[in-house]
Amino acid sequence: MLLNCPLPLATTDRVLLGHGSGGKLSAELMRDIFLPALSNPILARLDDQAQLEIGGLRLAFTTDSFVVKPLFFPGGDIGSLAVHGTINDLAMAGARPLYLSAAYVIEEGFPLADLRRIADSMGRAAQQAGVSIVTGDTKVVERGAADGLFLNTTGIGLIPASVTISAAAARPGDVILLSGSLGDHGIAIMAAREGLQFDTVLTSDSAALHTLVEAMLAAAPAIRCLRDPTRGGLSSTLNEIAAQSATGMRILETEIPIRDEVRGACEMLGLDPLYVANEGKLVAIVAPEDADAVLAAMRTHPLGRNAARIGAVTQENAGRVVLQTAYGTTRIVDMLAGDQLPRIC
Amino acid sequence: MLLNCPLPLATTDRVLLGHGSGGKLSAELMRDIFLPALSNPILARLDDQAQLEIGGLRLAFTTDSFVVKPLFFPGGDIGSLAVHGTINDLAMAGARPLYLSAAYVIEEGFPLADLRRIADSMGRAAQQAGVSIVTGDTKVVERGAADGLFLNTTGIGLIPASVTISAAAARPGDVILLSGSLGDHGIAIMAAREGLQFDTVLTSDSAALHTLVEAMLAAAPAIRCLRDPTRGGLSSTLNEIAAQSATGMRILETEIPIRDEVRGACEMLGLDPLYVANEGKLVAIVAPEDADAVLAAMRTHPLGRNAARIGAVTQENAGRVVLQTAYGTTRIVDMLAGDQLPRIC
């Protein structure tokens, strides 16, 4: 990740929206403030979850605060999104998600009916995924001190002994798989926020991916890397894996599934779908001999029906992602710089 | 807890500051919204932490969001407070705190120097307590959408096999111990927020209590209940234990340690120290035969020097806390109603 951060934090003395984008500025914050302050080898791995050893058990542990705006959107709400997001960060370690916490920061005057709707949605999402929300916290701040409601979910999962997944494990020759179409969540949020009308309603892909991961691991337990391309999109996810694995990535534009309505909305809004957030998709890096089996397993799962082989890990261009365009040219796809879509999750 | 909630939520359709007070309205929110939505037996125990069994291990798991204002105060800041608070919620299960997560919601424009100071403070507090902050998250919201910075910490601890602590375990005849003076944190925050001047600087008692708990458990492994009287103060903590254990509580005003400057500030501000938040104190309920040993162990620890025996668990007045005043009269000490000190933690 650090290879892609040429700008020192010294260029600003204030937090910018881009520091929360999941792109370059987020990486700078991590490198310049959080890693030095909190230094420990588990955090320094920069995975989406900590992998812990406690009394012989391997546990995954991950936290996310959700500030999505609007709170309710086609395909979900902040409650289901928070449950899915935390489950997915656990699943990306190959862990079976077990327990979640839920912590609310609520603005005084927030409608209790909306709070009930969000809590009910969390409960349903957790039940459907087979996890329990076992502890929580509620803080209320005065009017104007928060924007409605923020929600933190933190999760614990159990990593099977046979599984070792890390963003640092990609090797040249590995195959890059993507579980489905890009950009659905980010565009659904933007459309809902801006009141944009399209021929079809754009729906978030928010979903819990752990059963998809289970199916993939059953097909090939030696999957090298798994990540869900949320904030910063596919481009930031691949750049992170490239940096942490010290390899290059080559992806083929023609192989990346994008729904027509999302492509159209991106063109209208001037957005690149490679940078738009997803909440129900994953990227897998697998050895070439495992690729067919994993892809087949993905396609038999409802959340991987449109899975595709989108590229390969390369020796050359270490730390970089190269896109071969539909016209046969190539271009470097960098991490998100600045902030494209604030408060997308 | 539920015995003390006569007002149904139907009396308001909006979230009030008091819903975050740790008192009656918080209990209503739990009863009417969160428990029905998230229903599971672990959450329903209403302890300050979930106690989980994973693969034969007993783990404690707890979450807290911190919205304290101001962010920096005598005796600490939001970073050290968040680390101490989460460690303490683990310690109140008798757990050895192991790992924390840290999730920031930051307002655009927040000074990076303050963020660095808070992160450094978290790091120091964690290191001093022997825990690691192993995973994190940063979200940034636009100017005006949050008040500076909110911080969530969630923690995992390991509960020794020999320990069974629960707010439902108090029995008539048990002794109530308090580890030190009341009200220091809440009054320090109020003084800092309101710019009040006193002869001495009022300092928060924010501290990690796990080594104190270790010393107490070494003296008597069968401690029944432990709780840290944070939001809502001693009165709310004792009311919760009384309700969950279906016992009464009788406490003696003359035995409750309160520093003179805190008592003076409370009188000036019209506050009752029994309701003011603490961040480095604990209440222990122990069998009468263990009381002397536990109290002696507390007094040999720097954080328990002023520990006192403040009362007893009673058969009568189930679900209620009765205070015997300095004048020999008695009065019922109810849970906090409404909100006394918003954004105290």
Side-chain angles (χ1 to χ4, degrees), chain A residues 165-212:
Chain A
I165 292 173
S166 165
R171 300 181 207 168
D174 284 354
V175 173
I176 307 171
L177 305 174
L178 174 65
S179 67
S181 62
L182 285 190
D184 298 6
H185 176 74
I187 294 300
I189 296 293
M190 282 301 284
R193 193 188 302 169
E194 308 297 337
L196 304 178
Q197 301 292 332
F198 297 96
D199 292 344
T200 45
V201 174
L202 297 169
T203 302
S204 168
D205 59 344
S206 176
L209 294 168
H210 59 304
T211 58
L212 173 61

mmCIF file of all heavy atoms in Angstrom, chain A residues 165-212:
data_model
loop_
_atom_site.group_PDB
_atom_site.id
_atom_site.type_symbol
_atom_site.label_atom_id
_atom_site.label_comp_id
_atom_site.label_asym_id
_atom_site.label_seq_id
_atom_site.Cartn_x
_atom_site.Cartn_y
_atom_site.Cartn_z
ATOM 1 N N ILE A 165 -5.130 -16.996 4.518
ATOM 2 C CA ILE A 165 -5.437 -16.030 3.476
ATOM 3 C C ILE A 165 -4.848 -14.693 3.891
ATOM 4 O O ILE A 165 -4.984 -14.270 5.037
ATOM 5 C CB ILE A 165 -6.965 -15.919 3.299
ATOM 6 C CG1 ILE A 165 -7.507 -17.223 2.708
ATOM 7 C CG2 ILE A 165 -7.328 -14.726 2.434
ATOM 8 C CD1 ILE A 165 -9.004 -17.293 2.651
ATOM 9 N N SER A 166 -4.183 -14.023 2.966
ATOM 10 C CA SER A 166 -3.605 -12.720 3.284
ATOM 11 C C SER A 166 -3.405 -11.934 2.005
ATOM 12 O O SER A 166 -3.108 -12.508 0.952
ATOM 13 C CB SER A 166 -2.265 -12.894 3.999
ATOM 14 O OG SER A 166 -1.567 -11.662 4.000
ATOM 15 N N ALA A 167 -3.550 -10.615 2.108
ATOM 16 C CA ALA A 167 -3.317 -9.757 0.944
ATOM 17 C C ALA A 167 -1.847 -9.758 0.543
ATOM 18 O O ALA A 167 -1.496 -9.242 -0.518
ATOM 19 C CB ALA A 167 -3.784 -8.341 1.236
ATOM 20 N N ALA A 168 -0.998 -10.369 1.338
ATOM 21 C CA ALA A 168 0.426 -10.421 1.004
ATOM 22 C C ALA A 168 0.799 -11.730 0.312
ATOM 23 O O ALA A 168 1.973 -11.998 0.067
ATOM 24 C CB ALA A 168 1.260 -10.243 2.269
ATOM 25 N N ALA A 169 -0.201 -12.555 -0.035
ATOM 26 C CA ALA A 169 0.099 -13.914 -0.493
ATOM 27 C C ALA A 169 0.014 -14.116 -2.007
ATOM 28 O O ALA A 169 0.230 -15.227 -2.495
ATOM 29 C CB ALA A 169 -0.832 -14.903 0.216
ATOM 30 N N ALA A 170 -0.301 -13.053 -2.765
ATOM 31 C CA ALA A 170 -0.401 -13.232 -4.228
ATOM 32 C C ALA A 170 0.975 -13.538 -4.826
ATOM 33 O O ALA A 170 1.981 -13.004 -4.369
ATOM 34 C CB ALA A 170 -0.983 -11.969 -4.860
ATOM 35 N N ARG A 171 0.992 -14.406 -5.860
ATOM 36 C CA ARG A 171 2.261 -14.750 -6.519
ATOM 37 C C ARG A 171 2.100 -14.599 -8.024
ATOM 38 O O ARG A 171 1.009 -14.846 -8.570
ATOM 39 C CB ARG A 171 2.631 -16.210 -6.231
ATOM 40 C CG ARG A 171 2.809 -16.487 -4.766
ATOM 41 C CD ARG A 171 3.197 -17.951 -4.546
ATOM 42 N NE ARG A 171 2.751 -18.379 -3.232
ATOM 43 C CZ ARG A 171 2.726 -19.656 -2.837
ATOM 44 N NH1 ARG A 171 3.118 -20.621 -3.658
ATOM 45 N NH2 ARG A 171 2.314 -19.971 -1.623
ATOM 46 N N PRO A 172 3.166 -14.244 -8.722
ATOM 47 C CA PRO A 172 3.076 -14.121 -10.178
ATOM 48 C C PRO A 172 2.518 -15.403 -10.800
ATOM 49 O O PRO A 172 2.880 -16.509 -10.381
ATOM 50 C CB PRO A 172 4.531 -13.893 -10.596
ATOM 51 C CG PRO A 172 5.167 -13.249 -9.407
ATOM 52 C CD PRO A 172 4.501 -13.879 -8.218
ATOM 53 N N GLY A 173 1.613 -15.218 -11.767
ATOM 54 C CA GLY A 173 0.973 -16.361 -12.404
ATOM 55 C C GLY A 173 -0.394 -16.667 -11.822
ATOM 56 O O GLY A 173 -1.213 -17.338 -12.455
ATOM 57 N N ASP A 174 -0.674 -16.165 -10.606
ATOM 58 C CA ASP A 174 -1.991 -16.398 -10.000
ATOM 59 C C ASP A 174 -3.088 -15.742 -10.840
ATOM 60 O O ASP A 174 -2.844 -14.786 -11.586
ATOM 61 C CB ASP A 174 -2.042 -15.817 -8.583
ATOM 62 C CG ASP A 174 -1.291 -16.674 -7.570
ATOM 63 O OD1 ASP A 174 -0.831 -17.766 -7.936
ATOM 64 O OD2 ASP A 174 -1.168 -16.230 -6.404
ATOM 65 N N VAL A 175 -4.295 -16.250 -10.657
ATOM 66 C CA VAL A 175 -5.450 -15.772 -11.415
ATOM 67 C C VAL A 175 -6.296 -14.857 -10.519
ATOM 68 O O VAL A 175 -6.456 -15.129 -9.327
ATOM 69 C CB VAL A 175 -6.285 -16.970 -11.910
ATOM 70 C CG1 VAL A 175 -7.583 -16.517 -12.547
ATOM 71 C CG2 VAL A 175 -5.456 -17.796 -12.888
ATOM 72 N N ILE A 176 -6.812 -13.783 -11.121
ATOM 73 C CA ILE A 176 -7.671 -12.846 -10.385
ATOM 74 C C ILE A 176 -9.125 -13.112 -10.754
ATOM 75 O O ILE A 176 -9.492 -13.020 -11.927
ATOM 76 C CB ILE A 176 -7.316 -11.385 -10.717
ATOM 77 C CG1 ILE A 176 -5.811 -11.125 -10.495
ATOM 78 C CG2 ILE A 176 -8.162 -10.421 -9.887
ATOM 79 C CD1 ILE A 176 -5.356 -9.758 -11.001
ATOM 80 N N LEU A 177 -9.933 -13.450 -9.752
ATOM 81 C CA LEU A 177 -11.358 -13.707 -9.971
ATOM 82 C C LEU A 177 -12.176 -12.605 -9.298
ATOM 83 O O LEU A 177 -11.815 -12.121 -8.229
ATOM 84 C CB LEU A 177 -11.753 -15.062 -9.375
ATOM 85 C CG LEU A 177 -10.959 -16.287 -9.850
ATOM 86 C CD1 LEU A 177 -11.366 -17.528 -9.052
ATOM 87 C CD2 LEU A 177 -11.170 -16.518 -11.341
ATOM 88 N N LEU A 178 -13.285 -12.245 -9.933
ATOM 89 C CA LEU A 178 -14.203 -11.242 -9.375
ATOM 90 C C LEU A 178 -15.582 -11.890 -9.325
ATOM 91 O O LEU A 178 -16.008 -12.517 -10.300
ATOM 92 C CB LEU A 178 -14.193 -9.990 -10.256
ATOM 93 C CG LEU A 178 -15.198 -8.877 -9.920
ATOM 94 C CD1 LEU A 178 -14.908 -8.266 -8.549
ATOM 95 C CD2 LEU A 178 -15.156 -7.778 -10.998
ATOM 96 N N SER A 179 -16.299 -11.729 -8.191
ATOM 97 C CA SER A 179 -17.514 -12.526 -7.985
ATOM 98 C C SER A 179 -18.745 -12.006 -8.728
ATOM 99 O O SER A 179 -19.760 -12.703 -8.774
ATOM 100 C CB SER A 179 -17.827 -12.628 -6.492
ATOM 101 O OG SER A 179 -18.191 -11.360 -5.990
ATOM 102 N N GLY A 180 -18.679 -10.782 -9.281
ATOM 103 C CA GLY A 180 -19.856 -10.272 -10.003
ATOM 104 C C GLY A 180 -19.646 -8.840 -10.434
ATOM 105 O O GLY A 180 -18.519 -8.322 -10.397
ATOM 106 N N SER A 181 -20.742 -8.188 -10.795
ATOM 107 C CA SER A 181 -20.650 -6.875 -11.440
ATOM 108 C C SER A 181 -20.212 -5.784 -10.473
ATOM 109 O O SER A 181 -20.530 -5.822 -9.282
ATOM 110 C CB SER A 181 -22.000 -6.515 -12.045
ATOM 111 O OG SER A 181 -22.964 -6.421 -11.019
ATOM 112 N N LEU A 182 -19.524 -4.787 -11.000
ATOM 113 C CA LEU A 182 -18.956 -3.696 -10.201
ATOM 114 C C LEU A 182 -19.879 -2.484 -10.102
ATOM 115 O O LEU A 182 -20.593 -2.165 -11.049
ATOM 116 C CB LEU A 182 -17.646 -3.205 -10.830
ATOM 117 C CG LEU A 182 -16.412 -4.069 -10.677
ATOM 118 C CD1 LEU A 182 -15.189 -3.280 -11.162
ATOM 119 C CD2 LEU A 182 -16.214 -4.488 -9.224
ATOM 120 N N GLY A 183 -19.814 -1.805 -8.973
ATOM 121 C CA GLY A 183 -20.359 -0.454 -8.861
ATOM 122 C C GLY A 183 -21.790 -0.343 -8.379
ATOM 123 O O GLY A 183 -22.284 0.770 -8.178
ATOM 124 N N ASP A 184 -22.459 -1.470 -8.172
ATOM 125 C CA ASP A 184 -23.894 -1.416 -7.862
ATOM 126 C C ASP A 184 -24.183 -0.633 -6.574
ATOM 127 O O ASP A 184 -25.124 0.167 -6.526
ATOM 128 C CB ASP A 184 -24.468 -2.834 -7.721
ATOM 129 C CG ASP A 184 -24.343 -3.628 -9.008
ATOM 130 O OD1 ASP A 184 -23.710 -3.123 -9.972
ATOM 131 O OD2 ASP A 184 -24.855 -4.758 -9.072
ATOM 132 N N HIS A 185 -23.390 -0.861 -5.535
ATOM 133 C CA HIS A 185 -23.674 -0.167 -4.271
ATOM 134 C C HIS A 185 -23.437 1.337 -4.385
ATOM 135 O O HIS A 185 -24.312 2.141 -4.061
ATOM 136 C CB HIS A 185 -22.829 -0.732 -3.125
ATOM 137 C CG HIS A 185 -23.026 0.018 -1.838
ATOM 138 N ND1 HIS A 185 -24.162 -0.104 -1.085
ATOM 139 C CD2 HIS A 185 -22.260 0.943 -1.199
ATOM 140 C CE1 HIS A 185 -24.083 0.696 -0.025
ATOM 141 N NE2 HIS A 185 -22.939 1.342 -0.080
ATOM 142 N N GLY A 186 -22.278 1.699 -4.858
ATOM 143 C CA GLY A 186 -21.945 3.128 -4.914
ATOM 144 C C GLY A 186 -22.928 3.917 -5.758
ATOM 145 O O GLY A 186 -23.362 5.018 -5.376
ATOM 146 N N ILE A 187 -23.307 3.351 -6.884
ATOM 147 C CA ILE A 187 -24.223 4.070 -7.776
ATOM 148 C C ILE A 187 -25.630 4.126 -7.182
ATOM 149 O O ILE A 187 -26.327 5.146 -7.303
ATOM 150 C CB ILE A 187 -24.203 3.420 -9.178
ATOM 151 C CG1 ILE A 187 -22.812 3.617 -9.811
ATOM 152 C CG2 ILE A 187 -25.285 3.987 -10.072
ATOM 153 C CD1 ILE A 187 -22.406 5.076 -9.998
ATOM 154 N N ALA A 188 -26.044 3.056 -6.499
ATOM 155 C CA ALA A 188 -27.363 3.083 -5.847
ATOM 156 C C ALA A 188 -27.415 4.177 -4.780
ATOM 157 O O ALA A 188 -28.416 4.899 -4.646
ATOM 158 C CB ALA A 188 -27.677 1.717 -5.230
ATOM 159 N N ILE A 189 -26.334 4.317 -4.011
ATOM 160 C CA ILE A 189 -26.293 5.348 -2.967
ATOM 161 C C ILE A 189 -26.310 6.738 -3.594
ATOM 162 O O ILE A 189 -27.058 7.632 -3.156
ATOM 163 C CB ILE A 189 -25.023 5.195 -2.098
ATOM 164 C CG1 ILE A 189 -25.037 3.880 -1.346
ATOM 165 C CG2 ILE A 189 -24.880 6.376 -1.131
ATOM 166 C CD1 ILE A 189 -26.104 3.762 -0.305
ATOM 167 N N MET A 190 -25.482 6.927 -4.622
ATOM 168 C CA MET A 190 -25.432 8.240 -5.271
ATOM 169 C C MET A 190 -26.794 8.614 -5.843
ATOM 170 O O MET A 190 -27.253 9.743 -5.716
ATOM 171 C CB MET A 190 -24.406 8.228 -6.406
ATOM 172 C CG MET A 190 -22.989 8.328 -5.938
ATOM 173 S SD MET A 190 -22.674 9.834 -4.990
ATOM 174 C CE MET A 190 -22.610 11.025 -6.325
ATOM 175 N N ALA A 191 -27.449 7.629 -6.490
ATOM 176 C CA ALA A 191 -28.753 7.899 -7.103
ATOM 177 C C ALA A 191 -29.769 8.264 -6.026
ATOM 178 O O ALA A 191 -30.544 9.216 -6.175
ATOM 179 C CB ALA A 191 -29.206 6.680 -7.909
ATOM 180 N N ALA A 192 -29.749 7.522 -4.908
ATOM 181 C CA ALA A 192 -30.701 7.800 -3.826
ATOM 182 C C ALA A 192 -30.404 9.159 -3.204
ATOM 183 O O ALA A 192 -31.312 9.926 -2.882
ATOM 184 C CB ALA A 192 -30.624 6.696 -2.768
ATOM 185 N N ARG A 193 -29.140 9.477 -3.031
ATOM 186 C CA ARG A 193 -28.763 10.727 -2.368
ATOM 187 C C ARG A 193 -29.112 11.933 -3.224
ATOM 188 O O ARG A 193 -29.591 12.949 -2.732
ATOM 189 C CB ARG A 193 -27.267 10.717 -2.058
ATOM 190 C CG ARG A 193 -26.857 11.820 -1.101
ATOM 191 C CD ARG A 193 -25.352 11.917 -0.960
ATOM 192 N NE ARG A 193 -24.755 10.673 -0.505
ATOM 193 C CZ ARG A 193 -23.443 10.433 -0.495
ATOM 194 N NH1 ARG A 193 -22.595 11.345 -0.920
ATOM 195 N NH2 ARG A 193 -22.986 9.284 -0.073
ATOM 196 N N GLU A 194 -28.844 11.801 -4.521
ATOM 197 C CA GLU A 194 -29.027 12.950 -5.411
ATOM 198 C C GLU A 194 -30.411 12.980 -6.048
ATOM 199 O O GLU A 194 -30.712 13.880 -6.826
ATOM 200 C CB GLU A 194 -27.947 12.936 -6.503
ATOM 201 C CG GLU A 194 -26.513 12.817 -5.983
ATOM 202 C CD GLU A 194 -26.091 14.010 -5.122
ATOM 203 O OE1 GLU A 194 -26.707 15.087 -5.284
ATOM 204 O OE2 GLU A 194 -25.187 13.863 -4.279
ATOM 205 N N GLY A 195 -31.221 11.940 -5.750
ATOM 206 C CA GLY A 195 -32.555 11.899 -6.335
ATOM 207 C C GLY A 195 -32.539 11.699 -7.844
ATOM 208 O O GLY A 195 -33.418 12.189 -8.553
ATOM 209 N N LEU A 196 -31.539 10.951 -8.332
ATOM 210 C CA LEU A 196 -31.439 10.707 -9.785
ATOM 211 C C LEU A 196 -32.452 9.660 -10.215
ATOM 212 O O LEU A 196 -32.700 8.693 -9.508
ATOM 213 C CB LEU A 196 -30.035 10.225 -10.143
ATOM 214 C CG LEU A 196 -28.889 11.148 -9.714
ATOM 215 C CD1 LEU A 196 -27.552 10.523 -10.078
ATOM 216 C CD2 LEU A 196 -29.047 12.517 -10.365
ATOM 217 N N GLN A 197 -33.046 9.855 -11.354
ATOM 218 C CA GLN A 197 -34.019 8.902 -11.892
ATOM 219 C C GLN A 197 -33.410 8.163 -13.081
ATOM 220 O O GLN A 197 -32.870 8.785 -13.984
ATOM 221 C CB GLN A 197 -35.276 9.639 -12.367
ATOM 222 C CG GLN A 197 -35.972 10.433 -11.285
ATOM 223 C CD GLN A 197 -36.600 9.556 -10.217
ATOM 224 O OE1 GLN A 197 -36.980 8.425 -10.501
ATOM 225 N NE2 GLN A 197 -36.689 10.051 -8.998
ATOM 226 N N PHE A 198 -33.482 6.843 -13.042
ATOM 227 C CA PHE A 198 -33.059 6.041 -14.193
ATOM 228 C C PHE A 198 -34.229 5.161 -14.605
ATOM 229 O O PHE A 198 -35.212 5.050 -13.882
ATOM 230 C CB PHE A 198 -31.840 5.186 -13.831
ATOM 231 C CG PHE A 198 -30.635 6.004 -13.469
ATOM 232 C CD1 PHE A 198 -30.335 6.274 -12.139
ATOM 233 C CD2 PHE A 198 -29.818 6.533 -14.454
ATOM 234 C CE1 PHE A 198 -29.227 7.041 -11.806
ATOM 235 C CE2 PHE A 198 -28.709 7.297 -14.126
ATOM 236 C CZ PHE A 198 -28.413 7.549 -12.806
ATOM 237 N N ASP A 199 -34.108 4.520 -15.768
ATOM 238 C CA ASP A 199 -35.194 3.655 -16.249
ATOM 239 C C ASP A 199 -35.470 2.535 -15.249
ATOM 240 O O ASP A 199 -36.614 2.191 -14.972
ATOM 241 C CB ASP A 199 -34.829 3.048 -17.617
ATOM 242 C CG ASP A 199 -34.789 4.128 -18.688
ATOM 243 O OD1 ASP A 199 -35.329 5.228 -18.428
ATOM 244 O OD2 ASP A 199 -34.224 3.888 -19.755
ATOM 245 N N THR A 200 -34.391 1.942 -14.723
ATOM 246 C CA THR A 200 -34.553 0.911 -13.702
ATOM 247 C C THR A 200 -34.028 1.456 -12.380
ATOM 248 O O THR A 200 -33.133 2.302 -12.365
ATOM 249 C CB THR A 200 -33.723 -0.348 -14.059
ATOM 250 O OG1 THR A 200 -32.430 0.087 -14.484
ATOM 251 C CG2 THR A 200 -34.381 -1.147 -15.151
ATOM 252 N N VAL A 201 -34.600 0.955 -11.274
ATOM 253 C CA VAL A 201 -34.088 1.358 -9.963
ATOM 254 C C VAL A 201 -32.726 0.699 -9.757
ATOM 255 O O VAL A 201 -32.586 -0.510 -9.941
ATOM 256 C CB VAL A 201 -35.058 0.922 -8.844
ATOM 257 C CG1 VAL A 201 -34.445 1.205 -7.473
ATOM 258 C CG2 VAL A 201 -36.382 1.649 -8.980
ATOM 259 N N LEU A 202 -31.735 1.486 -9.420
ATOM 260 C CA LEU A 202 -30.409 0.941 -9.134
ATOM 261 C C LEU A 202 -30.400 0.469 -7.688
ATOM 262 O O LEU A 202 -30.754 1.219 -6.781
ATOM 263 C CB LEU A 202 -29.349 2.014 -9.364
ATOM 264 C CG LEU A 202 -29.270 2.501 -10.819
ATOM 265 C CD1 LEU A 202 -28.395 3.730 -10.929
ATOM 266 C CD2 LEU A 202 -28.752 1.385 -11.710
ATOM 267 N N THR A 203 -30.015 -0.791 -7.500
ATOM 268 C CA THR A 203 -30.111 -1.426 -6.193
ATOM 269 C C THR A 203 -28.728 -1.778 -5.678
ATOM 270 O O THR A 203 -27.906 -2.300 -6.431
ATOM 271 C CB THR A 203 -30.966 -2.703 -6.299
ATOM 272 O OG1 THR A 203 -32.243 -2.326 -6.810
ATOM 273 C CG2 THR A 203 -31.150 -3.379 -4.955
ATOM 274 N N SER A 204 -28.485 -1.502 -4.402
ATOM 275 C CA SER A 204 -27.207 -1.892 -3.792
ATOM 276 C C SER A 204 -27.034 -3.402 -3.858
ATOM 277 O O SER A 204 -28.000 -4.154 -3.765
ATOM 278 C CB SER A 204 -27.172 -1.445 -2.337
ATOM 279 O OG SER A 204 -26.080 -2.050 -1.664
ATOM 280 N N ASP A 205 -25.779 -3.830 -3.958
ATOM 281 C CA ASP A 205 -25.485 -5.272 -3.927
ATOM 282 C C ASP A 205 -25.207 -5.764 -2.506
ATOM 283 O O ASP A 205 -24.794 -6.917 -2.331
ATOM 284 C CB ASP A 205 -24.295 -5.594 -4.846
ATOM 285 C CG ASP A 205 -23.020 -4.847 -4.443
ATOM 286 O OD1 ASP A 205 -23.113 -3.873 -3.663
ATOM 287 O OD2 ASP A 205 -21.937 -5.232 -4.911
ATOM 288 N N SER A 206 -25.444 -4.930 -1.497
ATOM 289 C CA SER A 206 -25.147 -5.286 -0.101
ATOM 290 C C SER A 206 -25.599 -6.711 0.223
ATOM 291 O O SER A 206 -26.773 -7.052 0.103
ATOM 292 C CB SER A 206 -25.857 -4.277 0.821
ATOM 293 O OG SER A 206 -25.675 -4.627 2.178
ATOM 294 N N ALA A 207 -24.655 -7.543 0.632
ATOM 295 C CA ALA A 207 -24.957 -8.950 0.932
ATOM 296 C C ALA A 207 -23.833 -9.530 1.771
ATOM 297 O O ALA A 207 -22.696 -9.046 1.735
ATOM 298 C CB ALA A 207 -25.092 -9.748 -0.357
ATOM 299 N N ALA A 208 -24.158 -10.576 2.516
ATOM 300 C CA ALA A 208 -23.160 -11.294 3.323
ATOM 301 C C ALA A 208 -22.526 -12.380 2.461
ATOM 302 O O ALA A 208 -23.226 -13.229 1.904
ATOM 303 C CB ALA A 208 -23.821 -11.910 4.549
ATOM 304 N N LEU A 209 -21.206 -12.349 2.366
ATOM 305 C CA LEU A 209 -20.498 -13.198 1.408
ATOM 306 C C LEU A 209 -19.904 -14.465 2.027
ATOM 307 O O LEU A 209 -19.195 -15.205 1.340
ATOM 308 C CB LEU A 209 -19.373 -12.382 0.752
ATOM 309 C CG LEU A 209 -19.827 -11.213 -0.129
ATOM 310 C CD1 LEU A 209 -18.644 -10.314 -0.480
ATOM 311 C CD2 LEU A 209 -20.488 -11.745 -1.398
ATOM 312 N N HIS A 210 -20.179 -14.724 3.304
ATOM 313 C CA HIS A 210 -19.441 -15.819 3.944
ATOM 314 C C HIS A 210 -19.790 -17.193 3.398
ATOM 315 O O HIS A 210 -18.930 -18.073 3.359
ATOM 316 C CB HIS A 210 -19.611 -15.774 5.461
ATOM 317 C CG HIS A 210 -21.034 -15.875 5.907
ATOM 318 N ND1 HIS A 210 -22.012 -15.012 5.476
ATOM 319 C CD2 HIS A 210 -21.653 -16.740 6.747
ATOM 320 C CE1 HIS A 210 -23.159 -15.340 6.039
ATOM 321 N NE2 HIS A 210 -22.960 -16.376 6.808
ATOM 322 N N THR A 211 -21.044 -17.386 2.942
ATOM 323 C CA THR A 211 -21.347 -18.720 2.405
ATOM 324 C C THR A 211 -20.725 -18.895 1.017
ATOM 325 O O THR A 211 -20.341 -20.012 0.638
ATOM 326 C CB THR A 211 -22.861 -18.995 2.356
ATOM 327 O OG1 THR A 211 -23.491 -17.986 1.543
ATOM 328 C CG2 THR A 211 -23.470 -18.952 3.750
ATOM 329 N N LEU A 212 -20.585 -17.792 0.286
ATOM 330 C CA LEU A 212 -19.861 -17.864 -0.987
ATOM 331 C C LEU A 212 -18.403 -18.261 -0.732
ATOM 332 O O LEU A 212 -17.850 -19.142 -1.417
ATOM 333 C CB LEU A 212 -19.940 -16.512 -1.706
ATOM 334 C CG LEU A 212 -19.103 -16.370 -2.978
ATOM 335 C CD1 LEU A 212 -19.517 -17.380 -4.041
ATOM 336 C CD2 LEU A 212 -19.190 -14.943 -3.539
#
